[in-house]
Amino acid sequence: MSLIVVGSMAFDAIETPFGKSDKIIGGAATYIAWSASNFTKPIKQLSVVGGDFPQSELDALKLRGVEMEGVQIKKDEKSFFWSGRYHMDMNTRDTLETQLNVLANFSPVVPESYQDCEFLMLGNLAPAVQLSVIDQLKSRPKLIVMDTMNFWMEIALDDLKKVLARIDVLMVNDSEARELSNEYSLVKAAKKIMAMGPQYLIIKKGEHGALLFNEDQVFFAPALPLEDVFDPTGAGDTFAGGFIGHIAKTKDISFENMKTAIIIGSAMASFCVEKFGTERLKEITKEEIDVRLQQFQDLVNFDIELG
Amino acid sequence: MSLIVVGSMAFDAIETPFGKSDKIIGGAATYIAWSASNFTKPIKQLSVVGGDFPQSELDALKLRGVEMEGVQIKKDEKSFFWSGRYHMDMNTRDTLETQLNVLANFSPVVPESYQDCEFLMLGNLAPAVQLSVIDQLKSRPKLIVMDTMNFWMEIALDDLKKVLARIDVLMVNDSEARELSNEYSLVKAAKKIMAMGPQYLIIKKGEHGALLFNEDQVFFAPALPLEDVFDPTGAGDTFAGGFIGHIAKTKDISFENMKTAIIIGSAMASFCVEKFGTERLKEITKEEIDVRLQQFQDLVNFDIELG
C-alpha cells in the first residue's frame, strides 16, 4: 500500500531579484518526492529523465524510500529543462527557455509493482499523460490528486476535462482557477470547477495561502509570513508533496484530515522557498517540521466567545 | 469610560464593475461608529459635517449610543465628498473626485465630556488633525489606534511620523506598509514600522486577510471567501470599528485579545462589502455576527498532532 508520484524530474535555471542559480535539479516529481518522503514510504516514482540526469540524485531519493522502477532513463537524450525569471513580487515569473527533450514523447509505463497503490499524485504534466497513468491502474486508487497549469487549459482543454472527470482533488493557483471557470470570484470558480469532476478543490494563492473547497465547506490555510522568499520554484509541488504525504501516511481522506494535510503542505512549501531548488528540502528534519507546524498553529489560533 | 472615534462623516459616490451608487453617506468615522456600536457604548464621535449632512443620519447613530457633542455642524458649508471607481479586482480603485469642503479647515475640539475616554480610534485624516486630538486629551488613553493612508505618506510624512511616535496600534494596507518602510517583505516592513513608534501593527490585505504584528509575534486573520464583493468602500474603517469596539468592550489590550479583535473586525468588514455604503451595517443583528464569527472559526481551525 503506497503512493505513486507522477511528474517531471528535470533541470531548472532560475533568476530572482536576489540571485541566480546554475542549472540545478528540479521537476515537479522531484519536489513532490522530497516533500512527501518526510511522511510516507514507499513512494513509487513515475517519470522520465535523460542520460544527463545525475544518478546520485536518484540514489539520494532512493535512500528516502522512493522507488525508481517507473523512472525511464533515456541514455541518449536530455532531461527536461526550464529556465525562468521571477518578478519582484515573487508570485509572477517569465519563462526564459523551455526544452522539452525527454518529455516530448513521454509515455509512462506503470510497473506491476506499482499496482497496489492506494494514492496517486499526478504532478503537472500533459493531461493525456496523466490520463494514461489512471488508465493503466487495475484498481482505482483511494484518492487521486492532480496538479495542472494554465498552459494545458490553453492548448489541451479537452484532455484536461477528461482527467478532471476522473480525479478527486484538483490543485491550481488562483489565476488558473479563474481561467478554468471563467469566474473572478474564487467561491464561484470553485463551484464551477467541482462541477467538472473533482469533489475537492485546492486553490493556491502563493504568499496569500491556500483554500480548500468541498461542497459548501471551505477551509483556509495561511502562508507563513517570511522575512525573505529566496526562490519560489517548486513551492507548489512541495505543497502537493506535503499534502499527499500526510494523506498517504494517515490513509484518512476526510475533509477534516485534508485540512491538516494542507497545513502540512503549506509548512513544507515555506521551507522550499528559503533556498534555491531542492536544497532546503534535502536538509530539513522532523524537529524543524514540528516547530514550523507549531508556528502555523500560533499564526491562526484564536479564542472567541459566541452567544 | 468609553471610546472616542475621530474621522470624516461624508458623502461618497461609488462605481464598481457591478453597479453604481448615488451620492450616499460615507466617511471613516461613520463606518467605524456603525461597526463599533455593535460592541460598546457610549461612542464619542469627533468629526465635522456641512449643512447638507442629513440630521436623520446623526440621529440613527445616536440611537446606537453614539454621542455627537464633538461633531461640528457647519451650516453654510458642504460635507466632504469623495467619488471613486473600483477595478475588477475590487482591491484597487481610481479617485474620480475629491471635494474637501468642511475638512479643508477641520480643527477638532475635544469636549470636556469626552475627557474620560479610555480608548481612542484615529480614523484616516490629516496627521496634524490626529495629533491635535491626542494633544487635547488630559490623560493618555489606554490604547490609541491610528488608521492612515499613502496620501499622507506622500504629502505629510513628518507629521505622520510625529503621530506614529504617540500611538499604540497602526493600521495600514500592504502597499502602504511597503511605502512607509521602503521594504517589500511585510515581515521586514513590520519591524521598521514598529521601530517608528507603534508597538502593534495591523497590515490589511483586503481579500487576503490581515496580519497583526507585535515584537516577534505574528497573527493572521483571513478574509471570508465571498461569492460577491459588492462594494469595498468603508471595509477598512468597518474593520477598525470592529477591532476597537471589541477592545473597548473587553478593556483588554493583550496580544491574545487583539487576535480576537482582528477576527471580529474581519467579520464586520465581510458584512460591509455585501451592499453599497453603510446599508448592510445598519441592518445586521447580533445573531448574524455570531454566525459569521463561527464561519471564521470553521475557516481556519485545524487539528494537528506534533512530535
Side-chain angles (χ1 to χ4, degrees), chain A residues 11-285:
Chain A
F11 291 110
D12 291 334
I14 299 150
E15 288 178 36
T16 78
F18 312 107
K20 195 173 166 172
S21 78
D22 297 327
K23 192 169 166 182
I24 56 175
I25 297 296
T30 309
Y31 283 101
I32 295 170
W34 275 108
S35 181
S37 62
N38 286 285
F39 308 98
T40 189
K41 64 177 70 164
I43 291 169
K44 301 187 171 183
Q45 198 85 339
L46 208 54
S47 188
V48 61
V49 297
D52 54 354
F53 199 82
Q55 184 63 40
S56 59
E57 289 290 332
L58 300 176
D59 291 343
L61 278 170
K62 276 188 204 168
L63 283 175
R64 306 270 297 198
V66 182
E67 296 181 8
M68 296 294 172
E69 192 184 343
V71 178
Q72 302 169 25
I73 302 178
K74 301 205 167 172
K75 291 258 178 275
D76 302 328
E77 297 181 39
K78 288 171 77 179
S79 301
F80 175 70
F81 172 73
W82 175 81
S83 127
R85 184 189 293 132
Y86 287 88
H87 302 166
M88 187 64 196
D89 68 3
M90 288 294 219
N91 261 341
T92 52
R93 64 189 189 188
D94 296 326
T95 289
L96 300 175
E97 194 181 347
T98 303
Q99 297 175 11
L100 282 179
N101 299 329
V102 291
L103 270 195
N105 298 302
F106 179 36
S107 175
V109 180
V110 177
E112 190 55 35
S113 68
Y114 283 29
Q115 288 290 349
D116 66 349
C117 279
E118 273 183 303
F119 301 96
L120 174 60
M121 177 70 227
L122 299 167
N124 174 41
L125 272 180
V129 174
Q130 294 176 316
L131 199 60
S132 101
V133 175
I134 299 176
D135 283 338
Q136 289 177 59
L137 293 175
K138 291 170 192 161
S139 60
R140 192 194 189 276
K142 203 165 161 178
L143 196 78
I144 303 180
V145 181
M146 174 200 199
D147 189 14
T148 189
M149 69 185 294
N150 52 351
F151 181 69
W152 307 118
M153 295 170 196
E154 285 145 28
I155 70 155
L157 186 59
D158 288 346
D159 283 351
L160 179 59
K161 285 190 173 171
K162 282 182 205 155
V163 193
L164 286 178
R166 305 277 296 274
I167 62 160
D168 303 298
V169 184
L170 175 68
M171 291 181 178
V172 285
N173 68 30
D174 42 1
S175 71
E176 290 158 353
R178 287 178 171 132
E179 182 167 344
L180 184 57
S181 64
N182 211 9
E183 287 284 351
Y184 190 84
S185 152
L186 295 180
V187 176
K188 287 183 180 172
K191 285 187 182 164
K192 275 203 182 173
I193 292 170
M194 289 190 287
M196 298 175 188
Q199 224 184 317
Y200 301 89
L201 172 67
I202 294 169
I203 299 181
K204 299 172 288 182
K205 304 198 296 170
E207 62 160 330
H208 300 303
L211 290 161
L212 165 66
F213 292 92
N214 169 235
E215 294 174 357
D216 289 330
Q217 300 179 92
V218 56
F219 175 71
F220 176 79
L224 202 66
L226 296 170
E227 287 224 10
D228 296 294
V229 170
F230 196 75
D231 171 21
T233 310
D237 303 312
T238 303
F239 173 90
F243 178 83
I244 196 68
H246 176 75
I247 298 282
K249 172 189 176 186
T250 54
K251 300 187 192 302
D252 172 355
I253 60 170
S254 67
F255 186 74
E256 281 307 309
N257 195 47
M258 283 193 195
K259 292 181 182 178
T260 309
I262 280 195
I263 295 288
I264 289 173
S266 302
M268 297 309 294
S270 75
F271 287 114
C272 176
V273 302
E274 290 178 344
K275 293 192 177 177
F276 269 127
T278 56
E279 197 180 338
R280 186 72 179 99
L281 289 184
K282 288 182 179 179
E283 66 188 23
I284 42 173
T285 63

